[in-house]
Amino acid sequence: MSSWGSAVKISIFGESHGKGIGVVIDGLPSGERLDIEKIYVQMARRAPGKDKTSTPRLEKDIPDIISGILDDTTTGAPLCAVIGNTNTRSQDYGNVLSCPRPGHADFTGNIRYKGFNDIRGGGHFSGRLTAPIVFAGAVCRQILERRGIRFAAHIASVGNIEDQRFDPVAIPRELVERLSLSTFGLIDQTKETAMRELIEECRMSRDSIGGMVECAIVGVPAGAGSPMFDGIENVISSVVFGIPAVKGIEFGAGFEVSRMRGSQNNDEFYYDGETVKTRTNHHGGILGGISSGMPIIFRAAFKPTPSISSEQSTVDLQKHENAKLVINGRHDPCIVPRAVPVVEAAAAIAMVNILADVNKL
């Protein structure tokens, strides 16, 4: 249920308001030196409580690595990291024990686990469980960066406000480096004010807003991946859909290809010196589930945060009657800014497995 991977496996554990959350990573190559400070940077990008675009719940999210590392170097044993929960207010969830919140997994979790699921803060369904994903991704991306593979994502949109898209055929190194360290990642930084104003408008009206994250993976050699059910799209999607609130994913030109003709969609090949490239990149760096050597580009759609403080209609599962609900607690009016490093992390976890499976790691 909460484990994923083939060559490199991750297992996520914990609940939003439990003692802690964490991850076990099994199958990492030994002898890989990790820069712990760089891991902290990625954790801080996702951590809550920075400004009004996120929940005011303040968690430092410093991982306690309890196995798999010696002298900052992987030993080959399972790597386990625990992140403590230090700022919980479980009393905020007393009124949802029998009244499921619209848009949440309260109802489905109640049915699936016969009412024994931890509902506080969303329990194991909470977006807080993305912190261990970011940790695992931060480890994987360091291993991949040594092999020339880099990751960058940005806020593609908040509501109807859109950022500039990645150049699909040539993504500058300096842009990748800037975005991979940003806490409000944008290509066109002039869009930040309008996005923040829209998020604040939703917060003040007791509402929320969704958006999209666009991610690029550069430096992947041609020939990685597999056809059919183990294609790069399949593997990346399976991790990305493990991020709560993701409702859709598209690669390259995505759904726009349905409006194109073959002559428009086909990416023509050419030699750039001794390297085969394509002049356009509608295929998003993937053909037949296998990397073409062009940048791998995908976009993930995030729904609005379902926890809004406006009164909503629901049901009372104990009284078997209709009910009204006002959600308390601390919640993000828009999760998209904090989702950017999570999408990068998911991509890194996926690519470690893809490359290991074809002996390119």
Side-chain angles (χ1 to χ4, degrees):
M1 178 185 69
S2 300
S3 299
W4 182 93
S6 52
V8 177
K9 301 178 182 179
I10 66 168
S11 181
I12 307 293
F13 61 86
E15 296 84 25
S16 178
H17 285 211
K19 290 184 177 181
I21 54 179
V23 60
V24 177
I25 314 171
D26 198 1
L28 290 172
S30 60
E32 294 284 346
R33 189 165 184 82
L34 299 178
D35 187 327
I36 305 301
E37 291 301 321
K38 287 185 177 180
I39 292 176
Y40 292 164
V41 168
Q42 296 304 318
M43 299 299 294
R45 292 175 67 202
R46 191 221 70 94
K50 296 186 186 69
D51 56 42
K52 293 180 180 179
T53 66
S54 72
T55 168
R57 175 179 176 176
L58 185 60
E59 295 279 8
K60 293 183 179 180
D61 284 355
I62 301 298
D64 181 13
I65 302 173
I66 62 176
S67 68
I69 296 287
L70 181 62
D71 297 328
D72 292 340
T73 304
T74 58
T75 64
L79 192 161
C80 179
V82 178
I83 303 165
N85 292 327
T86 61
N87 190 1
T88 60
R89 291 200 325 216
S90 299
Q91 67 272 17
D92 289 339
Y93 296 88
N95 65 333
V96 302
L97 294 176
S98 62
C99 297
R101 295 166 295 174
H104 279 275
D106 298 348
F107 172 69
T108 53
N110 179 279
I111 300 299
R112 173 68 172 80
Y113 299 108
K114 302 177 175 62
F116 292 103
N117 54 305
D118 184 350
I119 203 169
R120 301 169 302 165
H124 193 65
F125 295 98
S126 171
R128 177 134 182 80
L129 273 295
T130 59
I133 293 176
V134 171
F135 173 84
V139 171
C140 292
R141 75 189 293 161
Q142 288 193 36
I143 294 171
L144 293 170
E145 283 175 355
R146 293 194 185 95
R147 290 147 176 88
I149 299 169
R150 296 184 177 274
F151 303 82
H154 68 109
I155 304 168
S157 66
V158 171
N160 60 359
I161 302 172
E162 297 186 353
D163 186 20
Q164 178 183 337
R165 296 282 180 91
F166 281 119
D167 180 334
V169 297
I171 302 174
R173 174 72 174 265
E174 57 270 21
L175 176 62
V176 172
E177 292 179 351
R178 175 171 69 81
L179 290 176
S180 66
L181 299 175
S182 177
T183 56
F184 199 94
L186 291 168
I187 296 176
D188 180 358
Q189 294 173 294
T190 65
K191 297 296 180 72
E192 180 171 350
T193 298
M195 288 184 177
R196 287 187 178 276
E197 287 176 350
L198 176 56
I199 294 171
E200 178 65 5
E201 176 189 330
C202 291
R203 186 181 74 87
M204 294 303 293
S205 61
R206 299 185 176 185
D207 213 336
S208 61
I209 190 74
M212 285 200 301
V213 172
E214 183 179 47
C215 184
I217 313 171
V218 296
V220 178
S226 299
M228 298 293 289
F229 305 114
D230 282 327
I232 292 178
E233 294 105 329
N234 311 54
V235 178
I236 290 177
S237 297
S238 66
V239 189
V240 170
F241 274 115
I243 303 171
V246 170
K247 299 302 291 183
I249 190 168
E250 63 176 7
F251 291 81
F255 289 101
E256 286 299 314
V257 301
S258 65
R259 300 181 178 91
M260 295 180 181
R261 297 190 179 194
S263 57
Q264 297 171 310
N265 179 59
N266 290 346
D267 301 303
E268 296 184 342
F269 295 103
Y270 73 101
Y271 271 109
D272 180 14
E274 296 183 354
T275 304
V276 175
K277 293 186 176 181
T278 58
R279 299 192 184 279
T280 52
N281 191 17
H282 298 129
H283 67 289
I286 307 164
L287 291 167
I290 300 170
S291 59
S292 69
M294 297 297 289
I296 293 174
I297 297 176
F298 67 91
R299 286 167 293 280
F302 285 80
K303 69 179 183 180
T305 312
S307 287
I308 58 176
S309 54
S310 299
E311 185 179 77
Q312 299 176 85
S313 296
T314 184
V315 294
D316 190 312
L317 297 175
Q318 294 181 352
K319 297 179 180 179
H320 300 282
E321 63 184 25
N322 295 327
K324 295 292 184 180
L325 176 67
V326 174
I327 297 174
N328 300 311
R330 300 162 292 176
H331 309 283
D332 298 74
C334 180
I335 64 173
V336 178
R338 292 176 59 211
V340 170
V342 186
V343 172
E344 290 178 7
I349 294 166
M351 289 309 304
V352 159
N353 277 271
I354 290 165
L355 294 170
D357 281 342
V358 293
N359 298 316
K360 289 183 178 289
L361 188 61

